[in-house]
Amino acid sequence: MKLVLLTLAFGLLSTQSTFSQKRPRELGIKIGVLPVGTHNAITDVAGVKVGQVTLIQGADVRTGVTAILPHESNLFQQKVPTAIYIGNGFGKLAGYTQVEELGTLETPLVLTNTLSVPTATDALIDWTLNGAGNQQVRSVNPVVGETNDGYLNDIRGRQIRKEHVLEALQKAQSGAVAEGNVGAGTGTVCFGWKGGIGTSSRKLPEKLGGYTVGVLVQTNFGGVLQIDGVPVGEELGKYSFKESLDKSSDGSCMMVVATDAPLDARNLKRLAKRVFMGLARTGGIASNGSGDYVIAFSTAYRIPHEANQPTAPITLLHNDYVSPLFLAAIEATEEAIINSLFMAETTTGTQGHKVEALPKQKVLELMKQYGRVK
């Protein structure tokens, strides 16, 4: 059967139906107290770009790739400080140990499905080795995250190819970000409804530093959904373990946080831990079979691959000034997860499995009942 390849570069949405989707803020649901960035997306952090490729084939293939670039220069030669926090380690995250040891990121971040991690790492190696100025590179640490989209996608077919990953990297853009059934979120399920890609940002007031924090998530997990404190999952009678003790809550959530605040790997890990609190605020429970990871990086400064001197004069934010960033990360994560649900659409996939979109009209009625919609 002919492959239908839907490629999404951010700011360019692939189908007219996506335009009809509305984010929670457009419907009057305001999560958190901090102001959002221009696009309310991870790309509000200057220099960050995101690209996606969506694969849909016949009745069985519902998958894709999402790529995040911290900056447009040679990332291997000009690394960025990075940290990874593992909330629950049932996952296949590639590249963790070197980031943990050295505190730097030297390739773009790629998100995809579980069985396509090796393909994505191979593509990132190609991307790096072929980069101008990398002719002598003999070691690359590609970082690839995943969630298992096997309920809607024929994951055993391993339809993701290196060219799909490279295309997502090449078409990465700044600006508005497509959400829902796109890229690595094409076949995911969240709280029993259709999940996907979601993103959000917070812009701190100048008195709190003026820094930006952006988050992008790939949602594929369970729990008892809450939206801005409203027990939506409970009210709608849809939540983990409601019928029986099964694995309905298992899945994963990949969370990527970017900031322009001058943080080192130690404080980036502290920031990453707060991102996990944002997931908890939505009702996620980090179940046994859920791989929940946070990758946090800063664009404030770069770390050269080859040092010309033994020390580096780097200005870092003092511990006493990082708390506003913690709040920003929590709020942006919570909203990014909810955005992924609001922007996702009902999907039928492999073996006839069907996952309904979040019933937004019912949710809005609940939000009004609880006084959360103005």
Side-chain angles (χ1 to χ4, degrees):
M1 185 174 290
K2 184 179 179 181
L3 178 70
V4 179
L5 173 61
L6 300 178
T7 303
L8 293 105
F10 280 69
L12 301 174
L13 308 186
S14 65
T15 63
Q16 186 63 36
S17 62
T18 308
F19 284 105
S20 68
Q21 301 296 97
K22 291 187 177 181
R23 303 172 95 184
R25 281 184 179 265
E26 297 177 80
L27 299 171
I29 301 173
K30 179 177 176 292
I31 295 175
V33 298
L34 295 172
V36 301
T38 302
H39 301 287
N40 194 15
I42 192 172
T43 50
D44 287 327
V45 178
V48 175
K49 295 183 177 182
V50 185
Q52 301 192 92
V53 165
T54 298
L55 293 180
I56 297 175
Q57 179 182 6
D60 295 317
V61 178
R62 305 287 185 271
T63 194
V65 178
T66 298
I68 302 142
L69 282 66
H71 61 71
E72 61 183 9
S73 301
N74 187 325
L75 189 55
F76 186 89
Q77 299 296 336
Q78 296 292 323
K79 310 178 198 300
V80 294
T82 304
I84 297 175
Y85 176 68
I86 303 175
N88 192 66
F90 198 136
K92 316 300 180 285
L93 176 67
Y96 166 72
T97 58
Q98 183 170 312
V99 173
E100 177 70 11
E101 187 71 20
L102 302 182
T104 59
L105 179 70
E106 63 185 27
T107 72
L109 300 170
V110 168
L111 306 178
T112 187
N113 72 60
T114 304
L115 297 186
S116 295
V117 170
T119 300
T121 57
D122 199 17
L124 279 174
I125 291 172
D126 282 357
W127 172 271
T128 303
L129 294 183
N130 292 328
N134 292 344
Q135 290 80 3
Q136 302 304 315
V137 173
R138 293 182 175 83
S139 174
V140 181
N141 185 54
V143 178
V144 180
E146 52 78 29
T147 72
N148 194 309
D149 58 15
Y151 185 75
L152 287 171
N153 173 51
D154 175 20
I155 194 169
R156 289 172 59 91
R158 292 182 285 177
Q159 301 291 340
I160 297 294
R161 301 287 183 260
K162 286 201 295 182
E163 54 263 34
H164 300 139
V165 181
L166 293 172
E167 183 177 358
L169 290 164
Q170 291 163 356
K171 293 193 173 182
Q173 296 182 10
S174 56
V177 175
E179 299 171 291
N181 300 27
V182 294
T186 302
T188 62
V189 182
C190 188
F191 293 111
W193 287 288
K194 183 65 186 71
I197 295 297
T199 189
S200 183
S201 70
R202 293 296 184 272
K203 173 72 174 176
L204 295 180
E206 290 301 323
K207 289 183 178 180
L208 296 178
Y211 303 114
T212 300
V213 174
V215 174
L216 183 143
V217 297
Q218 176 192 17
T219 61
N220 193 50
F221 63 95
V224 185
L225 175 62
Q226 296 185 55
I227 299 178
D228 198 20
V230 176
V232 172
E234 184 178 355
E235 289 279 9
L236 296 181
K238 192 167 188 176
Y239 50 87
S240 297
F241 314 123
K242 180 177 184 294
E243 301 299 333
S244 61
L245 292 174
D246 56 20
K247 292 187 176 181
S248 61
S249 63
D250 285 353
S252 293
C253 189
M254 288 299 308
M255 295 159 277
V256 179
V257 55
T259 183
D260 55 7
L263 304 180
D264 60 5
R266 178 184 62 82
N267 263 331
L268 284 167
K269 176 158 282 192
R270 298 179 72 206
L271 185 68
K273 291 177 181 178
R274 274 63 179 188
V275 168
F276 204 76
M277 293 180 181
L279 179 144
R281 282 170 59 159
T282 67
I285 62 173
S287 62
N288 174 69
S290 187
D292 304 303
Y293 299 87
V294 184
I295 305 171
F297 63 86
S298 171
T299 62
Y301 62 96
R302 301 178 186 180
I303 302 170
H305 178 64
E306 295 184 356
N308 296 321
Q309 55 188 21
T311 59
I314 298 173
T315 299
L316 296 175
L317 194 63
H318 194 282
N319 289 340
D320 291 343
Y321 293 84
V322 299
S323 292
L325 296 171
F326 293 165
L327 177 59
I330 293 168
E331 288 190 4
T333 302
E334 180 182 9
E335 185 162 349
I337 291 171
I338 302 307
N339 282 345
S340 78
L341 286 161
F342 269 75
M343 297 301 286
E345 298 173 319
T346 298
T347 301
T348 300
T350 189
Q351 300 179 52
H353 293 160
K354 183 177 182 179
V355 179
E356 299 285 344
L358 184 73
K360 289 180 278 294
Q361 186 58 47
K362 292 182 179 179
V363 170
L364 281 173
E365 292 171 1
L366 284 171
M367 301 302 289
K368 291 176 182 177
Q369 290 176 22
Y370 279 80
R372 304 307 295 168
V373 174
K374 298 181 180 179

